[in-house]
Amino acid sequence: MQFQIKRDTLLKSLNFAHNVIERKNTLPILSNVLLDVKGGKLSVVATDLDLVFHDEITDLKIIKDGNTTTSATVLHDLLRKLPSNLDVIFNLQDENRLSITAESSKFNLLCLPVSNFPNFSDNFNQDGIILNKKDFLSLLNKTKISMSNDETRHYLNGIFIHTIENKGKIYLTGVATDSHRLSSSSMVMEKAGDFKSFILPKKAVFQLSNLLQDSSNEKISLFSSDTKVQFKTGNSQITSKIIDGKFPDYKKVVPTNNSKNLAVNVKDLINSVERVITVSIDRKEGVKITLDKDNIQLFVNSSSSGEGKETLKANYNSEQLTVSFNSRYLLDIASEIEDEIITLKLNDAVSPVLIQDNSDKHSYYVIMPMKI
């Protein structure tokens, strides 16, 4: 195997590949990235067995076909520290040694045989569903904030992707919850086919978000089977196992009769919460909010470092009410609101609160108040 490639071209691919591999694993081969040169292109593959990243690069000069595997982290760091836009020559000396030359720099990296690398077969029988990249990325970003870390309820450690029908339109909907908060976002689908709902694991969500953020393609293709799901954009693809489990009936916790409406400027709210929680060193204290007709008062009291208080203009349509929230949860949700105004629909100090975005009618959030 021998080829010449621009440093930036390969580094872009390795940015994703080295994030997929697990730093601590019992199989040394899983720390490696597969480099496979054939048919006029270079394939870059990385996996942790649950998630596979595959990229194809055609912008290179191939001298000799071949393949090998070498440390993803070492190769990524090496390229990262080379000057930008440099030509880099890869030459496989033998099964265990890969020579890398760039101007006055020369490296020899240890390799493991390709036969040790996991072999993946993609058995996706159905045709892929075409999705708008911008809309799907927005769906992921708005829902991933509520994914759980609870290993005992593994089915909450991801985003539940499913379809719903409303007024003759079919929507692809993502929902995530950690039982303290819930996020839901939907996008219109042109064609659903025989779509099967699935729970996309947390790691796949973050890697896919990064890939879509970086992709110039406007469309992505989604393929699914009973155990796996695959997303393709341009020359890159991510294949992930799906979470085996049943997502709870989330609609039961979405309040429908909350009549107390609070409307406040979202940027002002974010800035105000950020300021008052400064007195909380670990930021774990909740923020207590007292709602009045034309303002709200935010209050944080930390037993170890003091207290903070601030008043903010707002519109509120009911009698005075004091409610407390986890400040981080509130900030996460507020940061995803597109409109200038964030709308909270409340019932009392302990019931779930519905949060809406007037600029995105297809997304909503639910947050449980804290007891302080």
Side-chain angles (χ1 to χ4, degrees), residues 39-107:
K41 63 191 177 188
L42 165 66
S43 292
V44 179
V45 186
T47 183
D48 64 357
L49 294 183
D50 290 330
L51 189 66
V52 186
F53 169 75
H54 184 277
D55 193 24
E56 289 183 352
I57 300 171
T58 54
D59 186 14
L60 76 163
K61 181 182 177 184
I62 297 172
I63 300 146
K64 184 181 177 184
D65 285 0
N67 53 37
T68 190
T69 81
T70 192
S71 169
T73 301
V74 172
L75 183 56
H76 175 262
D77 284 350
L78 188 158
L79 290 177
R80 193 168 53 85
K81 291 169 183 175
L82 287 174
S84 183
N85 215 31
L86 207 62
D87 282 315
V88 185
I89 298 169
F90 287 73
N91 189 6
L92 187 62
Q93 303 291 330
D94 55 52
E95 191 179 55
N96 300 315
R97 192 161 58 99
L98 177 64
S99 165
I100 300 173
T101 308
E103 279 189 351
S104 58
S105 304
K106 185 165 184 181
F107 308 89

Side-chain angles (χ1 to χ4, degrees), residues 143-278:
T143 50
K144 70 185 182 185
I145 57 174
S146 296
M147 292 187 296
S148 174
N149 294 311
D150 186 355
E151 293 303 324
T152 61
R153 292 188 291 175
H154 67 284
Y155 49 84
L156 296 183
N157 297 341
I159 297 177
F160 178 44
I161 307 284
H162 58 295
T163 55
I164 56 175
E165 193 170 340
N166 186 26
K167 295 180 180 176
K169 289 185 178 179
I170 298 173
Y171 293 88
L172 185 70
T173 299
V175 177
T177 181
D178 59 5
S179 74
H180 301 292
R181 55 183 166 167
L182 178 146
S183 304
S184 174
S185 185
S186 300
M187 60 180 283
V188 177
M189 293 180 75
E190 293 175 11
K191 188 180 75 170
D194 55 348
F195 183 85
K196 292 180 181 177
S197 59
F198 59 88
I199 306 172
L200 187 64
K202 178 181 290 187
K203 184 173 178 179
V205 170
F206 284 114
Q207 297 307 322
L208 183 58
S209 297
N210 291 338
L211 181 63
L212 296 182
Q213 187 82 44
D214 211 57
S215 169
S216 58
N217 282 61
E218 286 307 307
K219 301 288 183 182
I220 60 170
S221 301
L222 163 60
F223 304 85
S224 62
S225 68
D226 291 337
T227 58
K228 290 188 294 185
V229 63
Q230 185 179 80
F231 299 89
K232 286 185 178 181
T233 174
N235 293 324
S236 304
Q237 64 187 49
I238 283 180
T239 308
S240 172
K241 288 183 180 177
I242 57 180
I243 293 177
D244 183 20
K246 183 172 170 54
F247 200 80
D249 184 2
Y250 65 91
K251 291 175 183 171
K252 288 182 179 177
V253 301
V254 180
T256 54
N257 298 315
N258 287 7
S259 58
K260 297 180 173 68
N261 291 338
L262 170 69
V264 60
N265 183 284
V266 68
K267 286 184 179 176
D268 291 347
L269 179 66
I270 290 172
N271 293 335
S272 194
V273 172
E274 286 281 12
R275 283 192 292 267
V276 294
I277 62 172
T278 306

